[in-house]
């Protein structure tokens, strides 16, 4: 469409030049001037035409990645890796594939810097996506439909195949313009982030293979922003997935007696509910940001004596269970929280027991909370802010990510890491139905990464200190 408009404008310019020359009986020098002007316009339009072609090609490559169904519960990573390897070959990047668990490949692409001894820059993304309920979507979640508004609908369009491809497109563009990095740049594509990274980043980051990359700073996923300002994250909350189990004597449905399994579990639900409200109030009253409070949400309830058509209505069950997704901010005290669970939410004195399906505590080796510094002590933060601004973007105050990302494993190792996905003017639709990203935002994000990569990989600063001084230990 842009190309057609350009052609119309070009035609119009030619007609106007000829008409002016004829009507005003222009002298030959003026006519020459007009012809020169016309020549310049043609050059400009040809250049614009070429950039429109390049943008279209970039969008098509993004869509090709999106249609690869690397989806849980059993993602097949081979087609995604094959596609990314073909991209690497096309761009001219070195590639290594590691397997820390069977059929869970980690792909690392490398653009060697002029000084490979300097610690490197690592851009990470995960290849896996969460499942999608196809029938509840406007378009097939694995067809990457591009609609008339320029929105691309696909699972992974925001989370986070966009980012992985934007890294590659930015490198493609920088290589084409002859840029040569000073520091080495690595781009990793990891599996299994959506299920906790146990067979992905959790094994990769502490490995010898990772150490050999000599990483100074990492970029990983962030979130879309519904307004003009990009969001950036320098820490994240720790997921604790708690299951409380209640037992008690069964009894007739008509009888009032103490300590039934459900009565005890409901008491816990009441306490947890009040705690939840107190945390939510802090957000509602503007006293804390979402990432700074403890969130606790019930995610399942299991009780009752089943029948083929429902539940027995006159038996009080002898067991019941409830599951909670709890997220602890970096400054919360995990020991105090353990105590709260053991003594108030699930005490043995009320015939309750508890287990964790997931219990991550984002702490460094000294047991202190990990936050990547966002002040002048961290050159990478300053460089990130500057390059986003230089690319014409605006960036908000650093935030704590509500959920968990692979960046936690990196921060754990004392390496600064930022969560950043350049998607402004975009509703947050990760894990939602009808996840989409507009082509304009996708392309703008490539411009942003061009600046970031150019700036980060040109930085020759005090590398020996970058790993320690830029990491806050509170
Ligand atoms: C705890 S492992 C699961 C990881 C997932 N991450 C995101 C970004 O949704 C989550 O926080 O639930
Ligand atoms: Zn993600
Ligand atoms: Zn996700």
């Amino acid at each position: 469409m842009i190309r057609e408009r350009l052609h119309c404008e070009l035609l119009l310019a030619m007609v106007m030049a000829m008409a002016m020359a004829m009507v005003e009986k222009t002298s030959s020098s003026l006519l020459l001037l007009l012809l020169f002007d016309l020549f310049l316009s043609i050059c400009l339009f040809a250049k614009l035409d070429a950039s429109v072609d390049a943008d279209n090609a970039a969008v098509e490559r993004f869509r090709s990645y999106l249609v690869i169904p690397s989806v849980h519960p059993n993602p097949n990573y081979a087609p995604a890796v094959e596609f990314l390897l073909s991209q690497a070959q096309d761009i001219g990047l070195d590639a290594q594939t590691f397997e820390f668990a069977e059929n869970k490949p980690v792909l690392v692409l490398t653009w060697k810097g002029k000084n490979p001894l300097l610690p490197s820059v690592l851009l990470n993304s995960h290849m896996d996506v969460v499942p999608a309920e196809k029938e509840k979507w406007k378009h097939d979640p694995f067809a990457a439909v591009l609609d008339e508004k320029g929105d691309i609908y696909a699972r992974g369009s925001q989370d986070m195949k966009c980012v992985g491809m934007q890294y590659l497109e930015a490198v493609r563009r920088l290589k084409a313009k002859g840029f040569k990095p000073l520091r080495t740049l690595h781009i990793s594509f990891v599996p299994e982030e959506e299920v906790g990274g146990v067979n992905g980043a959790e094994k990769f980051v502490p490995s010898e293979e990772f150490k050999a990359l000599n990483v100074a700073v990492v970029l990983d996923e962030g979130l879309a922003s519904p307004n003009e300002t990009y969001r950036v994250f320098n820490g994240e909350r720790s997921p604790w997935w708690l299951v409380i189990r209640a037992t008690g004597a069964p009894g007739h449905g008509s009888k009032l007696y103490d300590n039934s399994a459900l009565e005890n579990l409901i008491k816990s639900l009441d306490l947890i509910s009040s705690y939840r409200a107190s945390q939510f109030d802090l957000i509602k009253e503007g006293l804390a940001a979402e990432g700074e409070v403890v969130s606790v949400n019930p995610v399942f309830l299991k009780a009752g004596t089943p029948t083929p058509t429902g539940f027995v209505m006159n038996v009080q069950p002898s067991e019941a269970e409830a599951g909670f997704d709890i997220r602890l901010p970096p400054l919360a005290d995990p020991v105090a929280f353990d105590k709260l669970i053991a003594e108030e939410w699930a005490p043995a004195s009320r015939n309750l027991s508890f287990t964790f399906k997931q219990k991550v505590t984002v702490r460094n080796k000294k047991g202190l909370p990990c936050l990547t510094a966002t002040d002048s002590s961290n050159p990478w933060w300053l460089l990130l802010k500057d390059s986003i601004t230089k690319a014409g973007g605006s960036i908000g105050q650093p935030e704590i990510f509500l959920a968990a990302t692979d960046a936690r494993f990196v921060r754990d190792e004392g390496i600064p890491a930022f969560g950043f996905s350049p998607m402004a003017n975009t509703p947050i639709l990760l894990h939602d139905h009808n996840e989409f990203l507009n082509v304009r935002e996708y392309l703008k994000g490539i411009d942003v990464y061009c600046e970031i990569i150019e700036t980060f990989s040109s930085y020759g600063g005090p590398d020996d200190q970058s790993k320690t001084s830029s990491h806050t230990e509170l």
Side-chain angles (χ1 to χ4, degrees):
M1 222 179 70
I2 298 173
R3 183 193 297 219
E4 270 128 41
R5 225 188 73 207
L6 289 177
H7 284 159
C8 280
E9 282 173 9
L10 185 57
L11 201 66
L12 193 67
M14 282 170 68
V15 171
M16 276 175 63
M18 278 158 53
M20 278 175 72
M22 279 169 15
V23 171
E24 295 183 13
K25 296 188 187 65
T26 323
S27 67
S28 57
S29 60
L30 187 54
L31 188 60
L32 267 175
L33 202 68
L34 282 167
L35 282 172
F36 181 63
D37 193 36
L38 189 62
F39 172 71
L40 284 181
S41 306
I42 291 170
C43 290
L44 178 70
F45 288 138
K47 203 172 159 203
L48 284 174
D49 231 17
S51 104
V52 170
D53 281 345
D55 285 352
N56 287 342
V59 168
E60 285 318 304
R61 285 188 287 267
F62 177 33
R63 293 175 69 201
S64 302
Y65 188 31
L66 289 171
V67 299
I68 299 171
S70 46
V71 58
H72 286 282
N74 287 308
N76 175 9
Y77 292 105
V81 170
E82 195 185 327
F83 170 78
L84 294 166
L85 281 172
S86 75
Q87 294 300 304
Q89 197 168 26
D90 199 26
I91 299 169
L93 295 171
D94 298 331
Q96 289 170 275
T97 313
F98 307 116
E99 239 182 45
F100 300 97
E102 206 184 341
N103 295 326
K104 312 288 180 205
V106 171
L107 175 64
V108 179
L109 307 180
T110 300
W111 189 7
K112 205 167 173 187
K114 286 183 282 185
N115 184 352
L117 295 176
L118 285 173
S120 65
V121 173
L122 174 67
L123 307 177
N124 182 58
S125 70
H126 59 81
M127 295 180 281
D128 53 327
V129 297
V130 290
E133 294 172 75
K134 186 176 169 177
E135 58 292 348
K136 298 192 179 146
W137 283 52
K138 273 201 247 178
H139 305 286
D140 181 338
F142 292 98
V145 170
L146 170 60
D147 77 3
E148 63 296 343
K149 288 194 275 178
D151 294 333
I152 301 173
Y153 283 84
R155 177 56 89 221
S157 54
Q158 293 193 11
D159 180 17
M160 64 172 302
K161 286 181 168 171
C162 51
V163 171
M165 285 308 287
Q166 282 166 323
Y167 296 151
L168 292 181
E169 294 299 336
V171 168
R172 184 188 286 274
R173 217 188 275 172
L174 289 172
K175 277 201 160 215
K177 79 165 195 184
F179 173 75
K180 300 248 183 304
L182 176 67
R183 282 172 197 265
T184 294
L185 179 81
H186 298 292
I187 307 178
S188 51
F189 293 87
V190 298
E192 304 294 273
E193 188 277 342
E194 296 292 5
V195 287
V198 178
N199 285 323
E202 186 168 4
K203 288 197 168 64
F204 173 45
V205 175
S207 72
E208 286 307 313
E209 288 83 347
F210 184 89
K211 278 193 192 82
L213 303 180
N214 189 20
V215 175
V217 64
V218 174
L219 291 188
D220 201 331
E221 69 189 303
L223 281 181
S225 159
N227 57 46
E228 271 293 329
T229 306
Y230 291 131
R231 301 175 73 177
V232 63
F233 301 88
N234 69 323
E236 58 190 53
R237 299 193 299 181
S238 303
W240 286 20
W241 292 346
L242 170 72
V243 176
I244 300 180
R245 187 156 187 273
T247 53
H252 196 281
S254 64
K255 185 173 159 61
L256 287 170
Y257 60 93
D258 284 326
N259 282 321
S260 79
L262 268 172
E263 189 206 8
N264 282 331
L265 188 62
I266 288 167
K267 172 95 176 136
S268 296
L269 285 166
D270 280 345
L271 290 167
I272 292 170
S273 192
S274 306
Y275 181 86
R276 180 185 185 278
S278 72
Q279 295 292 297
F280 201 2
D281 281 347
L282 295 173
I283 300 173
K284 289 178 184 162
E285 287 159 19
L287 298 172
E290 270 184 289
E292 291 167 357
V293 303
V294 176
S295 66
V296 42
N297 289 306
V299 289
F300 76 82
L301 293 170
K302 211 163 93 184
T305 310
T307 68
T309 53
F311 291 93
V312 178
M313 292 302 293
N314 57 358
V315 172
Q316 300 190 49
S318 62
E319 40 189 69
E321 247 179 44
F324 302 88
D325 182 327
I326 303 171
R327 306 287 171 141
L328 261 59
L331 298 184
D333 177 356
V335 177
F337 214 79
D338 259 329
K339 197 161 158 344
L340 177 71
I341 292 170
E343 292 178 6
E344 292 182 41
W345 291 3
S349 58
R350 283 209 311 276
N351 287 341
L352 301 171
S353 60
F354 62 94
T355 52
F356 290 101
K357 291 273 181 205
Q358 173 96 237
K359 192 183 185 199
V360 174
T361 306
V362 184
R363 296 272 141 158
N364 66 15
K365 306 269 180 283
K366 293 184 205 150
L368 298 167
C370 301
L371 285 170
T372 295
T374 51
D375 56 26
S376 57
S377 70
N378 183 357
W380 299 109
W381 167 243
L382 304 177
L383 295 171
L384 181 67
K385 271 201 310 186
D386 284 356
S387 39
I388 292 171
T389 315
K390 205 163 151 206
S394 74
I395 180 173
Q397 287 302 313
E399 298 174 68
I400 303 297
F401 201 84
L402 298 190
T405 74
D406 285 335
R408 70 182 182 276
F409 303 116
V410 172
R411 292 193 191 103
D412 233 21
E413 294 290 324
I415 300 171
F418 296 103
F420 175 67
S421 300
M423 297 181 284
N425 307 305
T426 304
I428 302 169
L429 291 167
L430 80 167
H431 298 202
D432 205 338
H433 302 321
N434 296 316
E435 180 180 352
F436 74 82
L437 181 59
N438 190 277
V439 162
R440 235 181 2 263
E441 283 303 325
Y442 177 70
L443 295 172
K444 219 194 297 173
I446 297 173
D447 296 341
V448 173
Y449 281 122
C450 280
E451 280 300 337
I452 295 175
I453 293 172
E454 203 169 335
T455 309
F456 274 28
S457 64
S458 303
Y459 176 60
D463 311 295
D464 45 337
Q465 283 170 28
S466 65
K467 278 188 184 177
T468 48
S469 66
S470 58
H471 203 257
T472 306
E473 295 180 348
L474 297 169

